[in-house]
Each structure stands twice: as C-alpha cells, then as structure tokens.
Amino acid sequence: MDERLHIFGIRHHGPGSAALLVRALDAVEPACVLIEGPPEADELIRFAQLPGMKPPLALLVHAASDANAAFFFPQAEFSPEWQAMLWALRRDVPARFIDWPAGIHIHALIAQKNDPEEMQVEHDPDPLDALAAAAGYGDGEAFWNSLIEQGRLEEDSAATAGEQALQVFAGIEAAMTAVRAAAPEERSERGGMRESQREAWMRIHIRQALKEHSGKIAAVVGAWHTSALRTGATASGDKALVKELTRAKVEATWVPWTDSRLGAASGYGAGVISPGWYSHLWSLYERRASTTPEEFAAQWQAKTAGMLRKEGYLTPTASAIEAARLSLALASMRERRVPALEEMREAALATLCHGDEVPLRIIERKLYVGERVGEIDSAVPQMPLARDLALWQKKTRLKPEDVETEQRVDLRSEAGLLKSTLLHRLLILKVPWGKLVEADAGRGTFREVWRLRWAPELSVALAEALVYGGTIEQAAGNAQLDRAAKSNSISELAEMVRETLVADLPDAATACIERLQAAAVQAAEITELMLAVPPLVRVLRYGTARKLPEEQLRALVHALSVEVNAGVRLASHNLDDEAATARVQAMQSYDEALRLFADSTLIEQWQNHLSGTVDDPQVSAAIAGLSLRRLHEFGTWAGEEVESAFSRHVIGETPQRAGAFLENFLRGGSEVLLHDEPLLNLIDAWLCGLEEQDFIESLPLLRRSFAEFDIVARRHVMQRITHGRREQAQLTQSEGAADDAFALALPLLCQILGIDVQEGAA
C-alpha cells in the first residue's frame, strides 16, 4: 500500500482509543478519513455534528423489503468512529465508510431464515489473550484497558501528544500483526472467507481513496484488520474475491441507542464491560489535560458516594477519600499505574458500603452501565413513523428512557388521554414501548398504569410498521384492519375491537365490529363466543373517558350473550379434558363479564342454563362443578339443592370425574366451605368413604383443588373439620373415647391441605 496511508487500529468502543485517534489525526492531517462501517450510510455522516445529535446513537440499516432484516452500527461519544466523523466534519475533510456493503450482510440475514446452518454463531477467542498472558494479565480485555483505554491519562505534553499517539498506533499494528500471524486457524471455512471478503472490500475502498486524493489517507479500523490491509493483495484479486457476493437493497437512518445496549451483558458482540466507566474516562480525555491517578480515583469515588447518598445511604466525604486511597493502593499492589474498574469497585465496597453488596448493586446500573437514551436532531431525515413518534413524544411529554418507569395516566385529562392513545396505538403496531399493568382501577374507571422502557429494537419494529402508513394513527388503523380481514376467530376479533376503541381509531373499530358480527353469525364454537364477550364488556367501561359507539357495542354483547346462554348446555356434552378446561376458563371470564354488563335478563337466562348443565348427566364434570359453584354463589339454589347435586356428582362416581367436579366446584376460593358447614361435612364424608386406591387416584386432583386456598383458609377448614369430628365423637361414643380412625387420617388430611399437623389439631 501507498506510504500516504495511515492505518489506525482501534477498539470499536474505547475512550483511550478515541483520544489517541483524535491526536493522531491532528498530527497527520489527512485529506480523507476512511472509517470501518456500512458504505450505504455515507450520506448520514454529515449529520453527526448537528447540536441535537446526542450519543449513544446507532446507524440502523435494514432491507427495503423487510425491515425485520436489520442490523445496528452503535456509536457512543467515546467510540473512535464517532470521533473520526466529528474530526472530519469540523475540518471539512471528506469521510466515508469502507466496510463491505450492509446489503451483503442483510442478504445473509434473510438467507438465515431458510438455512439452519447459516444460523450458527461463531465465537472466536480474543486474539489478545496470548499477549495478556505474557504480560501477566488475566485476559485480553484487562490488558487492552490497562495499556490503551485508561493507560494514557497521565500524558502531559500537548506538543508531543500527536507523535506519541502515532507511536502507540504503530505499536498496536506491530502487536496485532504478530498475534494474527501466530493465531491458530480455529475459524470455520465460511467464517474465514467472510473475513477475507470484508478486508478485500476495505482494500478496494482504500485504493479508490488514494486515487482520488493526493494527500494523506487515514483508515480507522478494528485493530485486528490492520495487518490484512497492508498485505500485497492485488486489486484484481480483491475484486474477484467479492465479485459473486449478492446484496439486498437497504435503507439506513440514525436511531437512538442506549447505554445498556453498549454493554457486553446485552449480548452485543463489540460491547464493553462498563459503558458508564468508559464515559467517565472520556470526560477526562476531552479536557485535553493530564490527569493524575490521585485526581482520577478521587473523582470516581466522589461520584460513587454521591449516588449512594441519593439512595439514602450515609457516605461521608472522609469515606470517599479513603475509597480513593484504597483504590490507589490496590492498583499499586497489582502493578498498575492507574486504578481500573476492579480496584475502584473493591475500594467502594470496602469503605463506602462496609462490605455490603446491596448498596452497590442498587446504583451499579446507573454508575457502571448508565441509563442514557440517545437523541436525534430534528434536521436528520428519519423514517416517517419515527418522525411522527418524536412529535408524539413532545406532545405527550413522554421521554424515552433506558430504565423501567411507571406512568400513571388519568383518562379524564386531555394529557392523560393522549398518552394512553399513543401507547395503545404503539401496541397495535407491535412497538411495546409501554406495558399496561393496570386498568379500570383506582378512582372509578379513569386510570391506567403503564410501565415504560425504550429499547433500540423498537426502531426496527417502527420500520416494519411502515407498510401500514406514514403516521402512528394511520399505521395502527390499517394494521388492525389487515389483521381483522385475515382472522376468523371470534375472540381475536373481539379483542381487536377493544384495542381499536381504546386506541381512538373509530373507523377501524367500526370495521372490526362489522367483521365480528359477520363472523359471529357463522360461529358454532361456544367457547369462542364466550371469550368474545369479556373484552367488549371491558371496553364499555371506558365510555365516560372515550367516545365510543356504546349502543352498537351493547347490542353486539347482547346478541353474543344470547347465543352463549342458549348453547352452553348442549355444547358441554362429552368434552375431552382439554376442551373442558378451555370451556371452564371461558365460562369464568364470561360469567364475570356478564355481571359487569348488568343486564338482569341475560343474567337470569345464564343462571337457568347453568341449572340445566348441573342436572344434565352428559355434561362434563368440570363444567358441572363450576356451574354448581356459580348457582351457589348467586343464591339461585337453596343449600339443600346444592348439597343434593353435589352428592349426585361425587358419591359413587369414578375418582377422575368426582375429582374434576370437586376441583371446579372449589374454584374461586374457600368461602363455599367456610360458610356452608353441611357441604363441608359432605365433602369430608365423601373423602373418608373412598377406597384406598380411589383415594390415591384422586389425590393429585384434591391437592390441586385446595391449591388456591391461602394458608389461613386451609387452617380454618381444618379446624372446622376437627371441631365437627369431635362433636360427632362425643355423640356416638362414650365420654373420653377417641375417634381412632380420624386420628389416623388426620396427618394425611393436613398434608393435602398443606398445613402442619399441630396446626390442624389445634
């Protein structure tokens, strides 16, 4: 390669690397800056210096035909590539990306969906581990951090800083050349070929830049690639190597990134251990003045102490001073010039937290990782949905954050209704910025509680939703219409109606209601019809906060309920276990919804048909059990009728059928046993009358039946049974005699109820 070429081998996110790079560029003054990155994003470099661009950010590149086939190119303020962009823009020097086209990578991502072998992820060993071992470090990460990322803090000669930086980069290149030459060939043939093709693309870009510019050329690439870019590969050989590569058509834009996604713990391959630590290091490098180890340690420990104070912990200044001294002492013992994160943490734990890990864990995310979400300048061209979302965020004053926050929304206020509308529309678009954890609670029906957390992947979801429209409102409405047209499920359509109404999409809601009405006419599955009623009833509770087609909704709920009531008995004949379980769950939801709907005629019809299911011997035992429980709770049947029906369904029946009946009869709580002593005694007598084998077969169902009872309820049930047994014993036996059979059964009964024997005998 031409001697005008200066190759700077960097770590992709390293404050020391970034500081060295800026000084090296100042010394070289290149006519063009080449940066490892996707060339399709060249036009986006010019926006990096805008005042509204606040890292962490990322270049999002995705297939034009499939936004889900995408990848990110993250940038922090301490990323060398970001600083290279800013340096070139400040000096009006051309800058461009030289990695292989993103379209090649995107094409490979699409191919992975159809080729399982392509999905295999290769994990390469750190090439610096060998050097680290020779230098006495535990791994390559610690070695590079000590020498490069924080090893330059003590530099104090501004006049020679550029020359020193060039010498360091020359040393990095020599070391990486030696490491690469000695590295064993552990990569697969496919992985090695991809690396060769990437580096061929870089050399092609470099040759092109050398032709276009008469001055020096700076190439900013990962340190591993430095030696490969200086090889004697020919231009024709490189072109032949990449000739057959297939590209996908792609689009690129800037999107916000987060501190947590810069961390290695997020799974990001080029992630760093502690973005918060590196951000602190970069703030010191930006001053362009030397920093003594003492000053460095004091600043970090003061920051740690300040965060602990905000969490309510007592951290005197004297303790922060001791923490700084201890970190310096630990670094000296380990032969390090400057304390690393390891020494800083150990010192803080010992002096500020007195050995207690809990306080440090409370602040470690904010301190070691960071909680920032990047911001994009308004002048940057963004995807239409991203631009519309930014406007919504300003209008609703909802700021994207990298931590989970709780947002309580009052639907009676205009601001609260706007927030709720936005978040519901995003859910329809499968952009789950917010998760609804509570609704229809608190003060009447006017409150929603959301948990919000922004993640970079939501930008990809927004890109995917572009096929439905250019605004959040338009896209959400069209997305729901598309799903409704493809669905034949009554319950799904009912849920879509609810979603469109609470998202304030009246046109889409009307279309979904019509689709639901058409599907309901053809529906024959009672479970589906039952599941359709609860979401419609729930949405009616928003009537005082949102404008809804209430009359149309009520007519729809009434029609569905009439169908359910009329068909529930016959549709419950001879169901298998899976179908019976689904029906019981649907019945519970439907029963609760019917009470909320408060139509007395429908409720009376429902109770009459439940009576029919209890008396019908062909009805599934599980459904009969739940039906009897509801009739008992409603007070529709007198106690004697309930006890008689219970006897018919458990006494003389198989353990499986009797157990299924009992499980669903007890579903919903212990009140039925605590307040109905004859019924409790009936269950007790049935249990005691079971043969040993029948009891063993019934035991799993029995334990499941009592699983919903809390420990207090179980204890009260046991006390009632014990009290009743003692009274019976006193009536039937002589004074002082004991019921031996009950005494023998008591431990097992306590075990079924999940309480101690001593408590049961109390």
Side-chain angles (χ1 to χ4, degrees):
M1 281 290 183
D2 196 311
E3 63 181 11
R4 292 179 295 142
L5 174 65
H6 292 263
I7 300 177
F8 301 121
I10 50 89
R11 177 183 181 159
H12 289 299
H13 303 294
S17 297
L20 284 168
L21 177 64
V22 172
R23 293 170 186 174
L25 291 174
D26 286 341
V28 171
E29 296 185 346
C32 179
V33 177
L34 307 178
I35 305 168
E36 183 181 332
E40 292 94 337
D42 281 350
E43 290 300 314
L44 297 174
I45 293 176
R46 60 193 174 95
F47 298 109
Q49 67 174 344
L50 294 178
M53 298 290 278
K54 299 179 182 179
L57 303 170
L59 288 168
L60 167 61
V61 187
H62 64 86
S65 60
D66 181 7
N68 198 40
F71 78 94
F72 295 98
F73 184 52
Q75 299 294 314
E77 73 274 20
F78 50 78
S79 298
E81 297 92 337
W82 178 258
Q83 291 301 319
M85 285 184 251
L86 294 181
W87 188 94
L89 291 169
R90 284 194 293 262
R91 289 160 178 77
D92 199 24
V93 171
R96 63 175 183 254
F97 294 119
I98 63 168
D99 206 345
W100 67 345
I104 298 173
H105 182 69
I106 296 295
H107 181 269
L109 288 177
I110 296 173
Q112 286 176 358
K113 297 179 180 179
N114 303 317
D115 186 355
E117 185 178 336
E118 290 283 335
M119 293 294 290
Q120 295 175 5
V121 179
E122 298 172 6
H123 298 281
D124 300 317
D126 190 336
L128 289 174
D129 283 349
L131 287 178
Y137 288 84
D139 53 49
E141 174 88 8
F143 174 70
W144 184 273
N145 280 338
S146 181
L147 267 65
I148 304 299
E149 304 309 344
Q150 67 181 58
R152 323 308 305 172
L153 285 169
E154 296 178 275
E155 293 179 344
D156 56 2
S157 175
T160 61
E163 188 61 34
Q164 289 177 349
L166 291 175
Q167 292 175 5
V168 172
F169 279 117
I172 291 174
E173 184 173 340
M176 295 306 297
T177 300
V179 167
R180 185 158 179 169
E185 287 293 335
E186 296 184 359
R187 293 190 125 184
S188 67
E189 181 179 349
R190 182 181 56 197
M193 176 57 71
R194 287 178 176 175
E195 185 173 90
S196 298
Q197 290 168 334
R198 283 187 63 198
E199 292 168 345
W201 273 106
M202 294 183 194
R203 290 192 294 267
I204 290 171
H205 282 290
I206 289 172
R207 291 189 191 98
Q208 183 65 29
L210 288 169
K211 287 181 182 179
E212 294 174 356
H213 301 278
S214 58
K216 298 175 182 177
I217 303 296
V220 181
V221 298
W224 175 257
H225 301 295
T226 52
S227 62
L229 301 187
R230 292 198 187 276
T231 62
T234 63
S236 59
D238 285 341
K239 289 180 180 178
L241 195 59
V242 302
K243 182 180 180 180
E244 301 299 326
L245 291 175
T246 306
R247 306 188 207 181
K249 185 179 180 181
V250 300
E251 298 176 358
T253 185
W254 283 109
V255 297
W257 199 247
T258 65
D259 278 335
S260 64
R261 291 309 173 97
L262 285 170
S266 69
Y268 172 39
V272 298
I273 299 299
S274 175
W277 171 255
Y278 272 9
S279 182
H280 175 68
L281 288 173
W282 177 248
S283 69
L284 300 179
Y285 283 125
E286 272 194 309
R287 301 186 316 180
R288 292 296 186 97
S290 62
T291 300
T292 65
E294 291 77 13
E295 180 184 5
F296 173 57
Q299 288 181 342
W300 180 259
Q301 297 299 357
K303 186 177 182 179
T304 305
M307 287 189 178
L308 287 169
R309 288 191 197 103
K310 288 181 180 179
E311 296 297 331
Y313 291 97
L314 183 63
T315 52
T317 303
S319 296
I321 294 173
E322 287 303 316
R325 289 174 177 170
L326 180 55
S327 63
L328 291 166
L330 290 171
S332 178
M333 291 170 60
R334 294 165 182 170
E335 298 182 348
R336 296 177 181 175
R337 293 182 302 167
V338 179
L341 181 60
E342 182 183 4
E343 286 80 36
M344 293 291 201
R345 192 182 190 284
E346 290 175 2
L349 179 62
T351 59
L352 296 174
C353 303
H354 310 292
D356 185 0
E357 287 269 1
V358 174
L360 208 55
R361 289 192 178 279
I362 290 175
I363 67 167
E364 65 182 357
R365 175 180 170 85
K366 186 180 296 184
L367 181 63
Y368 298 132
V369 178
E371 298 177 341
R372 296 174 305 166
V373 175
E375 297 179 18
I376 305 296
D377 194 277
S378 58
V380 177
Q382 298 182 64
M383 296 177 295
L385 285 180
R387 185 166 55 248
D388 191 46
L389 177 59
L391 295 175
W392 270 97
Q393 288 169 340
K394 289 183 179 179
K395 183 164 57 174
T396 58
R397 297 183 180 180
L398 286 175
K399 183 179 179 181
E401 297 182 78
D402 191 25
V403 292
E404 187 173 86
T405 59
E406 187 174 272
Q407 186 74 220
R408 295 179 178 272
V409 173
D410 188 342
L411 299 175
R412 293 172 296 184
S413 69
E414 183 179 356
L417 201 55
L418 280 175
K419 291 176 183 178
S420 175
T421 299
L422 170 62
L423 294 172
H424 279 293
R425 288 176 179 176
L426 289 176
L427 287 179
I428 290 175
L429 292 175
K430 301 189 183 305
V431 183
W433 179 18
K435 179 182 178 182
L436 184 62
V437 294
E438 185 180 342
D440 302 340
R443 300 183 297 275
T445 61
F446 301 101
R447 188 182 74 173
E448 290 178 344
V449 180
W450 294 82
R451 288 197 186 124
L452 306 182
R453 183 174 183 178
W454 183 261
E457 289 80 4
L458 299 181
S459 298
V460 175
L462 277 174
E464 268 195 291
L466 271 173
V467 296
Y468 296 114
T471 67
I472 302 292
E473 180 178 5
Q474 182 186 53
N478 289 338
Q480 206 72 328
L481 289 175
D482 181 66
R483 291 180 197 130
K486 297 175 181 177
S487 177
N488 292 314
S489 169
I490 302 298
S491 56
E492 285 182 5
L493 288 167
E495 183 62 25
M496 289 179 197
V497 171
R498 186 196 67 80
E499 291 170 350
T500 51
L501 288 171
V502 299
D504 194 18
L505 301 169
D507 293 340
T510 300
C512 288
I513 290 172
E514 292 173 355
R515 180 76 184 90
L516 174 58
Q517 289 171 330
V521 171
Q522 305 296 327
E525 175 53 52
I526 293 297
T527 299
E528 277 281 300
L529 290 172
M530 283 182 177
L531 292 174
V533 173
L536 298 177
V537 171
R538 285 199 305 271
V539 81
L540 282 168
R541 294 176 64 84
Y542 285 92
T544 54
R546 290 180 170 92
K547 187 177 180 180
L548 302 175
E550 187 170 343
E551 184 176 345
Q552 188 179 3
L553 276 177
R554 286 193 172 276
L556 181 57
V557 170
H558 189 277
L560 291 173
S561 300
V562 169
E563 290 291 327
V564 169
N565 291 346
V568 64
R569 183 178 66 83
L570 292 178
S572 300
H573 283 181
N574 305 317
L575 297 180
D576 59 27
D577 291 343
E578 184 178 353
T581 299
R583 176 66 54 78
V584 164
Q585 293 172 348
M587 285 178 65
Q588 280 190 290
S589 299
Y590 173 76
D591 181 79
E592 293 168 3
L594 209 56
R595 294 198 221 182
L596 287 175
F597 192 58
D599 186 311
S600 58
T601 301
L602 288 177
I603 293 175
E604 184 179 354
Q605 289 176 357
W606 174 241
Q607 293 175 4
N608 290 337
H609 288 292
L610 287 181
S611 300
T613 61
V614 173
D615 290 333
D616 191 334
Q618 297 184 64
V619 168
S620 167
I623 296 172
L626 180 64
S627 300
L628 184 60
R629 172 63 183 260
R630 288 293 183 258
L631 292 171
H632 184 57
E633 288 181 339
F634 287 145
T636 307
W637 281 14
E640 294 79 7
E641 291 179 286
V642 173
E643 293 163 18
S644 175
F646 186 91
S647 299
R648 292 197 305 272
H649 281 279
V650 295
I651 297 176
E653 290 288 350
T654 63
Q656 293 79 7
R657 182 173 177 84
F661 178 88
L662 179 62
E663 178 186 359
N664 289 279
F665 179 76
L666 296 179
R667 186 184 293 267
S670 59
E671 292 79 8
V672 68
L673 297 183
L674 293 176
H675 300 292
D676 193 332
E677 190 166 345
L679 191 60
L680 176 61
N681 293 333
L682 191 63
I683 296 174
D684 181 37
W686 169 68
L687 280 172
C688 293
L690 289 175
E691 297 292 337
E692 181 178 359
Q693 186 59 37
D694 290 344
F695 181 81
I696 292 173
E697 292 178 10
S698 303
L699 192 56
L701 285 170
L702 294 174
R703 291 185 65 87
R704 199 163 62 193
S705 301
F706 291 104
E708 294 184 7
F709 293 13
D710 59 45
I711 189 62
V712 175
R714 295 180 195 179
R715 188 181 300 118
H716 287 166
V717 168
M718 193 69 243
Q719 288 173 347
R720 282 185 174 275
I721 293 173
T722 305
H723 180 70
R725 281 287 183 168
R726 284 175 177 167
E727 287 185 347
Q728 184 179 5
Q730 289 174 359
L731 291 173
T732 59
Q733 299 180 11
S734 59
E735 187 176 350
D739 190 340
D740 295 334
F742 179 72
L744 291 173
L746 181 58
L748 183 57
L749 188 55
C750 287
Q751 184 180 359
I752 293 172
L753 291 171
I755 60 178
D756 294 337
V757 176
Q758 292 180 347
E759 292 177 341

